[in-house]
Amino acid sequence: MSYACAITEDQRDCYQELTNVAMGRAAERLAKLLDTFVRLPVPRVSMIENSDIRMAIQEVGQDSSVSAVCQGFAGSGVVGETLLIFKDTSFANLADMMHYSGPLSRQAELELLMDTASILIGTCIRGIGEQLEIDFNQSHPVILGQHCQTADILRSGNSTWNSTLAIEIHYQLENANVECDLLLLFTEESVNILNKKIDYLLD
Amino acid sequence: MSLNLLICDDSGFARKQMAKSLPPDWKVDIHFATDGVEGINAIREGKGDIVLLDLTMPNMDGFGVLEIIRREDLPAMVIVVSGDIQPEARKRVLDLGALAFIEKPIDTDKARQVLTEYGILTGI
């Protein structure tokens, strides 16, 4: 398979390490908010084609009902999209941890989703930007779906992402049934700019 | 005989960053391991008098390495270098016997400060 742009193994490794640092910062903020411990995975960095995004997302919430938010970011010519996908079974636990009282309405779940998204997405994007000396601006988050199958997420959203570089982080809380996936997708044009910055770090 | 220092991290970029952050005039033999399993083997071979240890790694993570060092009473002074800056992660590694915790990305100042503080940097 050929791509218009590509990353070398050294570059892939560097993206992974920058993500490692950024996701650690996000986990710290979430852990403090929820008074819990976030189990951190090794992030997955890969080049994928547009059609593969669908597969990547479907892997995330296999056979389970999910809710998802997306949020764009841009800076120094680098443009991307983040996608946060929560397993719906997470919300009852999240509500407990955030000391929500009363019945868990759709609206309350939405608030939980948005609160968590702003921490996980915002901190991660800023963390990566900071290490690459890029000041990212973020657009408003958009709900892609509540209580739906992952296949529906792309159908409902503007699935015109032409991204090639994908970074996937699977967050899991210890001793609590809370699980989500954060996907960072960069446009093809961005990868060349990012690679230059990465090469500078690798020098 | 000079000291053996082991850098244990799955990322080549991070291993390089750690090696570069060490005081240039410090006389140590530097060894590398790319995950926890390799790290433990290297320590058993005597290559890890001092260990700079990452936490998030495939095969065996840094917590696993610390547990084995403690269980087998291996002679290694471990400094954890990690992006996992959750207070609980720091507490766990110190409870498991790590000497200190350095937040990633590591740099010369952070490394020198910790190495000096724990009396590891001698003769410079």
Side-chain angles (χ1 to χ4, degrees):
Chain A
M1 214 177 286
S2 68
Y3 299 101
C5 52
I7 53 171
T8 64
E9 175 50 30
D10 280 351
Q11 287 168 336
R12 195 203 58 75
D13 173 73
C14 192
Y15 281 113
Q16 187 174 309
E17 182 60 16
L18 297 183
T19 307
N20 198 2
V21 170
M23 78 177 184
R25 290 183 191 169
E28 190 233 11
R29 289 199 51 201
L30 191 67
K32 278 189 175 156
L33 178 75
L34 301 176
D35 193 20
T36 182
F37 185 65
V38 183
R39 257 185 303 196
L40 290 176
V42 177
R44 222 161 66 177
V45 178
S46 55
M47 299 297 292
I48 56 175
E49 289 212 339
N50 200 350
S51 53
D52 295 337
I53 297 173
R54 197 171 289 269
M55 271 159 56
I57 292 174
Q58 258 155 1
E59 235 174 273
V60 169
Q62 242 176 6
D63 304 324
S64 52
S65 160
V66 295
S67 299
V69 180
C70 79
Q71 189 168 9
F73 60 90
S76 303
V78 176
V79 180
E81 193 93 38
T82 51
L83 202 59
L84 184 69
I85 305 172
F86 257 96
K87 272 198 180 167
D88 281 328
T89 45
S90 306
F91 289 111
N93 262 299
L94 265 185
D96 276 351
M97 299 170 107
M98 291 213 198
H99 308 291
Y100 256 72
S101 51
L104 196 56
S105 63
R106 261 182 109 86
Q107 185 56 38
E109 283 190 359
L110 202 62
E111 276 174 35
L112 286 170
L113 181 62
M114 295 307 258
D115 286 351
T116 327
S118 92
I119 290 178
L120 288 180
I121 296 176
T123 315
C124 198
I125 290 305
R126 270 197 310 278
I128 289 178
E130 206 179 284
Q131 295 176 83
L132 291 172
E133 294 180 347
I134 300 174
D135 202 1
F136 283 124
N137 289 309
Q138 288 171 259
S139 63
H140 282 289
V142 176
I143 301 285
L144 290 180
Q146 256 188 305
H147 306 297
C148 55
Q149 298 296 312
T150 42
D152 303 329
I153 292 173
L154 287 179
R155 213 169 292 143
S156 66
N158 43 348
S159 58
T160 50
W161 296 318
N162 237 335
S163 61
T164 46
L165 174 66
I167 301 179
E168 203 183 321
I169 308 168
H170 184 73
Y171 284 104
Q172 238 178 328
L173 298 191
E174 193 172 72
N175 305 322
N177 183 21
V178 175
E179 251 181 275
C180 66
D181 260 284
L182 181 62
L183 220 67
L184 310 181
L185 304 165
F186 295 90
T187 61
E188 210 168 308
E189 298 75 40
S190 308
V191 178
N192 291 323
I193 301 170
L194 283 171
N195 280 346
K196 283 208 185 92
K197 292 193 174 271
I198 292 275
D199 286 343
Y200 179 74
L201 287 179
L202 284 169
D203 239 3
Chain B
M1 213 175 76
S2 61
L3 274 175
N4 285 298
L5 181 132
L6 177 70
I7 292 176
C8 184
D9 197 307
D10 58 319
S11 159
F13 173 64
R15 290 195 297 275
K16 210 164 122 188
Q17 257 184 343
M18 283 189 220
K20 273 202 286 194
S21 74
L22 298 173
D25 41 1
W26 193 25
K27 285 195 173 44
V28 282
D29 289 335
I30 302 177
H31 308 272
F32 296 97
T34 62
D35 63 29
V37 176
E38 268 188 30
I40 279 294
N41 288 337
I43 293 168
R44 286 193 183 122
E45 288 167 17
K47 291 177 183 163
D49 301 322
I50 301 157
V51 183
L52 299 183
L53 179 70
D54 181 30
L55 289 181
T56 316
M57 290 184 288
N59 301 325
M60 185 196 293
D61 65 13
F63 297 105
V65 172
L66 284 166
E67 274 166 25
I68 293 183
I69 289 175
R70 161 175 284 192
R71 198 186 318 136
E72 300 185 9
D73 199 18
L74 297 171
M77 284 192 284
V78 181
I79 295 164
V80 169
V81 183
S82 175
D84 189 348
I85 52 170
Q86 299 178 77
E88 181 63 22
R90 184 185 294 254
K91 182 180 174 299
R92 280 183 197 187
V93 299
L94 295 180
D95 285 350
L96 280 167
L99 208 57
F101 187 102
I102 296 177
E103 179 181 336
K104 273 184 178 178
I106 192 172
D107 58 40
T108 322
D109 290 343
K110 287 184 196 170
R112 185 178 278 275
Q113 192 202 330
V114 168
L115 292 171
T116 309
E117 190 179 337
Y118 289 91
I120 299 170
L121 258 195
T122 47
I124 298 178

